[in-house]
Amino acid sequence: MPKNSKVTQREQSHEHVTESVADLLAHEEPLDYKNSSLNVRGAAGKKVPQIEVPENDGRPAWNSKLQYILAQVGFSVGLGNVWRFPYLCQKNGGGAYLVPYFILLLIIGIPLFFLELAVGQKIRRGSIGVWNYVCPRLGGIGMSSLMVCGFVGLYYNVIIGWSIFYFFQSFQFPLPWSDCPIRRNGTLAIVEPECGKSSATTYFWYRQTLNTTSTIAESGGLNVKMTLSLFVAWIIVCLAVIKGIASSGKVMYFSSLFPYVVLFCFLVRGLMLKGSVDGIAHMFTPKLEKMLEPQVWREAATQVFFALGLGFGGVIAFSSYNKIDNNCHFDAVLVSFINFFTSILATLVVFAVLGFKANVMNEKCVEENAEKIVGYLNTNVLSHDLIPPHVNFANISTSDYTELYGVIKAVKEGSFSQLGLEPCLLEDELNKAVQGTGLAFIAFTEAMTHFPASPFWSVMFFFMLINLGLGSMIGTMTGITTPVLDTYKVQKELFTVCCCIFAFLCGLLFVQRSGNYFVTMFDDYSAGLPLTVVVILENLSVAWIYGTKRFMQDLEDMLGFRPHMIYFYLWKYVSPFCLIVLISATVIEMAIIPPGYNAWVQELAQERFQSYPPWALAMCFSLITVAMLPLPVVFIARHFNLMSDGSNKLSVSYRKTMMKDMSNLEEQDEAKFILGAKPGEVPSSGPAKRAFLTPGENKPLDPNSLSPNSCYGTSYQNAAISPTTPTTPTTPATPESDS
């Protein structure tokens, strides 16, 4: 900077300087309306200049675009793709369910995912900083998002701990859940009654793994095996995120890609199994009448919502480490479709394996009932004349048994029920819908016991679950650490370690013998409603407060092209409407369906629905309240100026760009810096007003809409104005009108 420039002279002077508006604006480059980056259109035929961001602004960055995409894929593709989507597909009409899911992915999923990617990349902050910047009064959005991440992370890592336990148990042959344990009473050996009434895999899950109690009120003490598994899970997560994206980015290369290797291996192996085609055909046989049911659309919207990880803060955090000119629109579409096709792939795998299992169980049913019929024939309860001549009981087929069953039922119509024969229909086995832990730790494990080389496939399956969970946990932890590290200057490694230790101690709630019931509680109440509220407020704050047109212009400045106009209407009207309907449906469902959980009753060896006791019910609604509490608290506190609005905490790149502009100032006529005025003109005594063109219009925006008192986070404009400087009062901005 020249030594005789006005800026340098003022820095070297020891006299008290009362800065005027003109002095402040002298720090900025001359503003050319036509070429300004704040001009929407720019000069006719000229490209709008891009925002210049220093390459080294002190913020970590992804090593490559591939690393970033894998991180977003790893976060969005999780356990729900494997054990939730296939269940919803089977429950809601098979192939017909894919239609509402795909439609809602296009009108809700991709636009909102794009929105989160864009705000994170533009402002380059975590969730707290982003929403403080967009609208300080709605800064509680980021805090609520962080709270939800905390709740979800607590129980999600418990599921990873379960997978770790099963992973190590898989290194033995035969698998420990392949047969029921034998209880010896002297010389008499009998099957464990609880296992005999259920199945070997069910018994291993509820008794030998969880050792669960019969009610949530019975703690039963800590389960040592699960406590150690949880400890290992938190060590893995801590090591993955301790260095931020420098460590988690490298982990994502494996944790994001390995599940696809396993899924393809399972698909190939599954298609070679007997009955796999039956399962896939059952899965994709469309029941078109289901598409007319509102419940199907509500569940499809919920699955789209959670499949992409909207509202958790992880999407924003990952995107904030991008270059500002990264094509986040391409990223949003790519990751959304990868997520969708992963769900389809997982569904094919699940139902290929479950089709095989259904055939095995159906053959077992036929054998058991054929033995009953032979017994009735030997005791003359049934006549040999009823048996068709081609039926061979030594090797009876499913079709032969179905024919025999029909004959006996027709002849013994009055006393048929006393015979205790079952129809043994393959369709009944395929219709047994399972989801969640029931699919992963019971149904799928039972199917794998019938695989050749079953330990190998079991190791692969649970290692895949660990990696799927790890990818989601890295995104969840990043959604916690990034906004805190952006807001408060704390050591990254120390804060990460403290978070993991604290989370492990809180997670002991889930590894007591009744811990499985608390996992269900947190899964049902800690994320659903609060996260939906968070996302709709994100949508409204950008589309209706910040302004959709202004946001579209920001995107054009970042991307170098203007996104399709359909996003304007989706963000402003369609997505808010759909989210309001989803919230209403969620509240109605919570009001109609009594809160409860499925408890494992040891005496009956089966699950039974039980209502939550009063203290547990209070805990359920406390989770919702605590997660949403920052929203009204921050709004009220900032409305009455009880806390800083946080809007002056600009992104590092934004501040660096401003300082770079100041350092390039040279001695020029001071009036030239004021709105590009000609030398010699006398500036007005009030604050300078700039004109900004709205998209597709020639009318300038009201400059007061960029007031620091408004919800646009631009308080840097008058941050340095001396108290002695006369200023014209500004009024808070009203939400932008797009009419």
Side-chain angles (χ1 to χ4, degrees), residues 512-546:
Q512 54 185 338
R513 289 181 57 195
S514 59
N516 183 42
Y517 306 138
F518 288 98
V519 170
T520 301
M521 176 193 292
F522 272 65
D523 190 37
D524 291 341
Y525 291 94
S526 67
L529 183 61
L531 214 57
T532 312
V533 172
V534 163
V535 174
I536 192 173
L537 289 178
E538 289 180 358
N539 192 175
L540 293 176
S541 62
V542 171
W544 287 91
I545 299 177
Y546 185 83

Side-chain angles (χ1 to χ4, degrees), residues 525-720:
Y525 291 94
S526 67
L529 183 61
L531 214 57
T532 312
V533 172
V534 163
V535 174
I536 192 173
L537 289 178
E538 289 180 358
N539 192 175
L540 293 176
S541 62
V542 171
W544 287 91
I545 299 177
Y546 185 83
T548 314
K549 288 183 178 179
R550 184 175 291 107
F551 185 58
M552 293 284 281
Q553 176 54 31
D554 288 343
L555 292 175
E556 185 174 357
D557 292 338
M558 285 198 307
L559 306 178
F561 65 89
R562 194 173 192 80
H564 197 281
M565 200 61 186
I566 187 66
Y567 286 106
F568 177 92
Y569 299 102
L570 290 175
W571 283 327
K572 197 166 184 67
Y573 304 110
V574 179
S575 294
F577 173 76
C578 292
L579 290 173
I580 290 173
V581 172
L582 181 59
I583 289 177
S584 303
T586 302
V587 172
I588 292 172
E589 183 184 30
M590 292 175 63
I592 294 176
I593 300 178
Y597 62 102
N598 290 321
W600 177 257
V601 182
Q602 183 175 2
E603 293 75 17
L604 302 175
Q606 62 183 13
E607 287 186 334
R608 176 174 291 179
F609 180 82
Q610 293 189 11
S611 298
Y612 285 118
W615 64 267
L617 199 59
M619 189 174 177
C620 293
F621 291 104
S622 295
L623 291 173
I624 299 175
T625 303
V626 171
M628 297 175 60
L629 192 61
L631 297 170
V633 168
V634 172
F635 182 87
I636 294 172
R638 286 180 174 161
H639 180 75
F640 293 102
N641 297 320
L642 300 178
M643 65 183 294
S644 170
D645 64 7
S647 60
N648 60 333
K649 296 179 180 179
L650 300 177
S651 64
V652 175
S653 62
Y654 211 123
R655 292 196 302 267
K656 293 263 185 169
T657 304
M658 292 172 60
M659 295 303 297
K660 184 176 180 180
D661 290 342
M662 291 175 60
S663 65
N664 291 332
L665 288 176
E666 296 183 0
E667 182 181 6
Q668 298 183 36
D669 188 347
E670 185 173 16
K672 182 178 179 181
F673 294 95
I674 306 175
L675 303 179
K678 296 179 181 179
E681 286 186 5
V682 180
S684 61
S685 59
K689 296 186 177 182
R690 302 182 176 189
F692 309 106
L693 296 179
T694 58
E697 298 178 4
N698 295 321
K699 292 170 58 180
L701 292 174
D702 181 6
N704 286 335
S705 66
L706 295 177
S707 164
N709 296 326
S710 67
C711 285
Y712 306 131
T714 51
S715 58
Y716 67 87
Q717 288 182 338
N718 69 343

Side-chain angles (χ1 to χ4, degrees), residues 371-384:
E371 290 178 1
K372 288 183 181 181
I373 295 175
V374 171
Y376 292 141
L377 291 173
N378 294 334
T379 57
N380 295 322
V381 174
L382 293 176
S383 172
H384 287 274

Side-chain angles (χ1 to χ4, degrees), residues 354-582:
L354 292 184
F356 163 71
K357 172 179 174 286
N359 271 268
V360 171
M361 299 306 294
N362 194 56
E363 290 176 358
K364 183 179 179 181
C365 176
V366 169
E367 291 176 3
E368 291 175 350
N369 283 271
E371 290 178 1
K372 288 183 181 181
I373 295 175
V374 171
Y376 292 141
L377 291 173
N378 294 334
T379 57
N380 295 322
V381 174
L382 293 176
S383 172
H384 287 274
D385 296 335
L386 297 177
I387 309 302
H390 63 274
V391 172
N392 179 12
F393 282 102
N395 188 21
I396 187 170
S397 65
T398 304
S399 58
D400 288 345
Y401 174 78
T402 302
E403 180 184 355
L404 183 58
Y405 178 86
V407 171
I408 296 174
K409 185 176 182 180
V411 174
K412 294 286 186 178
E413 185 175 356
S415 58
F416 179 77
S417 59
Q418 299 175 3
L419 298 177
L421 298 178
E422 298 177 10
C424 297
L425 297 176
L426 182 62
E427 189 74 13
D428 292 342
E429 287 291 337
L430 292 170
N431 282 329
K432 291 180 180 178
V434 287
Q435 64 167 324
T437 55
L439 174 63
F441 299 105
I442 298 177
F444 220 86
T445 53
E446 183 173 355
M448 286 187 295
T449 58
H450 301 286
F451 280 24
S454 56
F456 168 78
W457 294 104
S458 183
V459 167
M460 293 283 284
F461 176 71
F462 288 108
F463 195 39
M464 178 190 72
L465 291 187
I466 293 171
N467 281 276
L468 284 172
L470 181 60
S472 297
M473 272 302 299
I474 289 174
T476 302
M477 288 296 294
T478 305
I480 297 173
T481 57
T482 296
V484 173
L485 294 174
D486 284 345
T487 307
Y488 307 101
K489 300 302 178 184
V490 294
Q491 187 179 357
K492 181 189 301 180
E493 292 81 1
L494 179 62
F495 177 70
T496 303
V497 171
C498 290
C499 279
C500 292
I501 293 174
F502 179 74
F504 169 72
L505 295 176
C506 293
L508 295 178
L509 172 70
F510 306 103
V511 291
Q512 54 185 338
R513 289 181 57 195
S514 59
N516 183 42
Y517 306 138
F518 288 98
V519 170
T520 301
M521 176 193 292
F522 272 65
D523 190 37
D524 291 341
Y525 291 94
S526 67
L529 183 61
L531 214 57
T532 312
V533 172
V534 163
V535 174
I536 192 173
L537 289 178
E538 289 180 358
N539 192 175
L540 293 176
S541 62
V542 171
W544 287 91
I545 299 177
Y546 185 83
T548 314
K549 288 183 178 179
R550 184 175 291 107
F551 185 58
M552 293 284 281
Q553 176 54 31
D554 288 343
L555 292 175
E556 185 174 357
D557 292 338
M558 285 198 307
L559 306 178
F561 65 89
R562 194 173 192 80
H564 197 281
M565 200 61 186
I566 187 66
Y567 286 106
F568 177 92
Y569 299 102
L570 290 175
W571 283 327
K572 197 166 184 67
Y573 304 110
V574 179
S575 294
F577 173 76
C578 292
L579 290 173
I580 290 173
V581 172
L582 181 59

Side-chain angles (χ1 to χ4, degrees), residues 59 116 119-120 123-134 138-147 149 311-318 320 478-484 486-487 534 538:
R59 188 172 185 82
E116 288 201 358
V119 295
I123 303 173
R124 295 174 65 78
R125 308 281 288 183
S127 57
I128 293 178
V130 160
W131 302 114
N132 278 343
Y133 186 78
V134 172
L138 293 180
I141 294 175
M143 298 180 187
S144 286
S145 177
L146 189 146
M147 295 292 294
C149 277
F312 280 96
V315 173
I316 293 176
F318 282 152
S320 70
T478 305
I480 297 173
T481 57
T482 296
V484 173
D486 284 345
T487 307
V534 163
E538 289 180 358

